[in-house]
């Protein structure tokens, strides 16, 4: 069982930066690949970024490549999403998720555990 709690969302101007955190509980956290997804009202939850359980592989959605960076701190049981050059179209609720032995998968269905989400709003 893994519990995930996101934090770090908020209101930022276009061009600004935010760092999201996802704190995980559970002794087997090191065996979970982690992902970030986002969702806006009326739309499907979409993939943003993921990192393999080994930490050696990452994947990004084309829309965030070069602007967002996913990382994990095993000692702190925490995954981060560093977001730079934010644009209004990045406005969404951001969710972190965990996939057992995940290898940076981009598919929602591969993730078994989800956080409650954190709102990110980018003003123009």
């Amino acid at each position: 069982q893994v519990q995930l709690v996101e934090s770090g969302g908020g209101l930022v101007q276009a061009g600004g930066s935010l760092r999201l955190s996802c704190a995980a509980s559970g002794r087997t956290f090191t065996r979970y690949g982690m992902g970030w997804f986002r969702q806006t009202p009326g739309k499907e939850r979409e993939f943003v970024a993921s990192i393999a359980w080994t930490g050696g592989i990452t994947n990004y959605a084309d829309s965030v490549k070069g602007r967002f960076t996913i990382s994990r701190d095993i000692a702190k049981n925490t995954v981060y999403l560093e977001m730079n050059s934010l644009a209004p179209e990045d406005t969404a609720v951001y969710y972190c998720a965990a996939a057992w032995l995940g290898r940076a998968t981009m598919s929602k269905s591969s993730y078994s555990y989800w956080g409650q989400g954190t709102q990110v709003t980018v003003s123009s």
Side-chain angles (χ1 to χ4, degrees), residues 54-97:
T54 57
I57 304 170
T58 56
N59 274 318
Y60 295 92
D62 288 343
S63 59
V64 308
K65 276 181 185 175
R67 301 188 298 124
F68 291 11
T69 302
I70 187 171
S71 61
R72 65 191 298 165
D73 186 331
I74 297 299
K76 295 183 178 180
N77 272 15
T78 300
V79 175
Y80 302 99
L81 185 68
E82 185 75 37
M83 305 186 295
N84 298 314
S85 301
L86 284 162
E89 50 265 37
D90 295 315
T91 295
V93 176
Y94 284 71
Y95 298 88
C96 73

Side-chain angles (χ1 to χ4, degrees), residues 5-116:
V5 180
E6 301 98 333
S7 61
L11 174 63
V12 63
Q13 287 189 329
S17 299
L18 281 175
R19 188 177 79 159
L20 305 183
S21 300
C22 174
S25 64
R27 292 178 297 172
T28 57
F29 172 70
T30 54
R31 296 300 183 95
Y32 282 87
M34 302 298 294
W36 285 96
F37 292 77
R38 65 188 182 187
Q39 189 170 22
T40 54
K43 290 191 176 181
E44 295 263 340
R45 192 170 297 187
E46 65 174 8
F47 169 76
V48 175
S50 58
I51 186 167
W53 72 276
T54 57
I57 304 170
T58 56
N59 274 318
Y60 295 92
D62 288 343
S63 59
V64 308
K65 276 181 185 175
R67 301 188 298 124
F68 291 11
T69 302
I70 187 171
S71 61
R72 65 191 298 165
D73 186 331
I74 297 299
K76 295 183 178 180
N77 272 15
T78 300
V79 175
Y80 302 99
L81 185 68
E82 185 75 37
M83 305 186 295
N84 298 314
S85 301
L86 284 162
E89 50 265 37
D90 295 315
T91 295
V93 176
Y94 284 71
Y95 298 88
C96 73
W100 177 253
L101 298 180
R103 293 179 59 80
T105 178
M106 297 183 283
S107 170
K108 289 191 301 287
S109 61
S110 298
Y111 292 86
S112 304
Y113 300 100
W114 294 82
Q116 83 289 348

